[in-house]
Amino acid sequence: MSKFVRAAQTSQSLSLAAMEEASRLGLREADIEHMFLAMVINDQSAGRALRSLGIDLDSARRAVEKQHEMQLASLGIDASFPEAGRIVFHETDGYEWSKRASDLIAKSGGKGKAGDAAAVLRELVAEPSGLIADILDHLGTTPDALLEHLEQFASPGGAAMPAAAKVKGRTSVSIETFACAPMEAVWELLADPARIPEWEPGIGVIDHASRDATPGTVWQGFAPTSYPDGKPVKVRPKFHRRSIELIAAHQPGSIAWSFGYPDAARSNPILTEFALVTTTGGTQLQIRKSWSRRHGWRGLIALLLRPIQKLFVWIALFQTGSAISRTFR
């Protein structure tokens, strides 16, 4: 993976997680403390380094809250921040980075720097305000100790799972994500057909979702009629109905679902596969979408459009991974 792609994907994942954390407090601007919280649940080496030090999302949130309270007290202000609620980022808009946070991300991808989460974390702990150092102190560690520990997870992007095998005649795109929950809990989410709308953005309702989930069973789903923010979704009639088939289920390590468009004659079903492994602080997931390649002149057109197609599939994967992560936060 190129440095540019790695930096772009890192920025995207950190931005989403940080702004989700800010949204719990009713904020529209994500700052460096929210970036730190996003680091704790990051799937790359930076997140694994933090979690291996015993820093989980709950303890990190408490440390940030305590530091904010101490800052107010130092100003002679006897007050507390509003109690955090649920994540509402996906239901609202108008979010942005603070200037120092956006500058920090840009700096992490500068000359001689990898632009991955580890590079962002190095810039974060060196940030001159000392805020992150104070938060780390509440968590029982120091910037130097964290950076030394980070070197043990040094590979760029630090994949914790083996790459999925390529299948002849199929095109695939995959990502990794982290969920701060036990593997069994993540499995239960992914194996329950009634909960598919929680992580598959293209499905809003499923018929007969209470039926037993056994391989070969097929359900019928329908596209959502509105976005989480209430705005209506425009869907072409032939893409309104979905077929959903459970292809394989090996508890608790892997599961695969096939999603098709029965009213779109020339569409190919998309196979969505999940591989789960237990890791420090939760579960590491590999999510892969794959589909059969076309042949003949349609195959030539598909080949020319493949980079664009892969981009859209990556966006869908990113949305799925983010939804899974959000479920357990």
Side-chain angles (χ1 to χ4, degrees):
M1 182 183 295
S2 70
K3 172 184 171 180
F4 174 78
V5 172
R6 168 61 66 183
Q9 291 185 356
T10 297
S11 176
Q12 177 78 358
S13 62
L14 290 178
S15 295
L16 177 63
M19 291 175 188
E20 285 179 338
E21 288 299 309
S23 77
R24 294 176 64 247
L25 300 167
L27 303 175
R28 289 293 191 273
E29 183 177 82
D31 204 356
I32 59 173
E33 66 267 39
H34 307 113
M35 186 186 298
F36 176 74
L37 295 175
M39 280 287 176
V40 174
I41 57 172
N42 187 261
D43 63 287
Q44 297 180 33
S45 59
R48 294 198 299 275
L50 285 162
R51 295 190 296 272
S52 70
L53 286 172
I55 300 173
D56 60 17
L57 184 59
D58 287 339
S59 64
R61 283 171 171 171
R62 289 194 298 270
V64 169
E65 183 179 353
K66 184 175 182 180
Q67 182 57 31
H68 283 163
E69 290 174 350
M70 290 181 65
Q71 288 175 328
L72 288 176
S74 70
L75 297 172
I77 302 173
D78 184 14
S80 59
F81 282 83
E83 185 176 348
R86 65 183 183 88
I87 294 170
V88 296
F89 171 82
H90 56 300
E91 301 170 359
T92 48
D93 55 22
Y95 292 84
E96 61 182 5
W97 279 118
S98 67
K99 186 177 186 307
R100 65 175 176 177
S102 61
D103 288 348
L104 190 150
I105 288 181
K107 190 175 179 181
S108 71
K111 186 176 181 180
K113 298 176 182 178
D116 61 357
V120 177
L121 182 57
R122 292 187 183 99
E123 297 296 335
L124 192 60
V125 299
E127 198 276 330
S129 73
L131 175 60
I132 302 304
D134 290 337
I135 292 171
L136 289 173
D137 183 59
H138 296 311
L139 291 165
T141 189
T142 66
D144 288 343
L146 174 56
L147 291 176
E148 182 178 348
H149 199 66
L150 179 61
E151 294 307 312
Q152 300 175 28
F153 299 83
S155 62
M161 306 178 72
K166 293 184 178 180
V167 178
K168 187 177 181 180
R170 294 185 69 83
T171 300
S172 66
V173 182
S174 65
I175 66 165
E176 287 193 22
T177 193
F178 170 80
C180 48
M183 187 163 65
E184 285 287 355
V186 180
W187 164 269
E188 289 174 5
L189 168 68
L190 299 175
D192 185 351
R195 300 187 70 183
I196 288 176
E198 293 183 37
W199 52 262
E200 174 52 53
I203 295 177
V205 179
I206 297 178
D207 278 351
H208 307 294
S210 60
R211 286 160 50 191
D212 290 342
T214 56
T217 304
V218 179
W219 291 263
Q220 182 170 252
F222 299 92
T225 58
S226 63
Y227 293 105
D229 62 4
K231 294 179 181 178
V233 176
K234 295 181 180 180
V235 180
R236 295 169 65 183
K238 65 180 180 180
F239 296 128
H240 179 65
R241 195 161 61 102
R242 302 289 296 272
S243 62
I244 305 163
E245 181 180 358
L246 179 59
I247 302 299
H250 303 288
Q251 189 173 5
S254 64
I255 190 166
W257 294 90
S258 176
F259 298 92
Y261 292 100
D263 300 319
R266 295 177 181 175
S267 66
N268 284 329
I270 294 181
L271 182 66
T272 302
E273 300 170 276
F274 300 90
L276 294 75
V277 296
T278 295
T279 188
T280 303
T283 304
Q284 188 87 358
L285 296 93
Q286 183 183 80
I287 313 172
R288 179 171 69 163
K289 287 184 181 288
S290 64
W291 59 96
S292 298
R293 296 174 188 162
R294 295 184 181 276
H295 300 287
W297 65 269
R298 288 195 182 94
L300 178 59
I301 294 174
L303 179 63
L304 295 173
L305 295 176
R306 192 170 297 163
I308 298 174
Q309 187 179 32
K310 282 190 171 186
L311 173 61
F312 282 114
V313 172
W314 182 86
I315 292 171
L317 281 168
F318 181 75
Q319 291 174 332
T320 293
S322 299
I324 294 169
S325 172
R326 186 168 58 244
T327 297
F328 300 101
R329 289 158 50 205

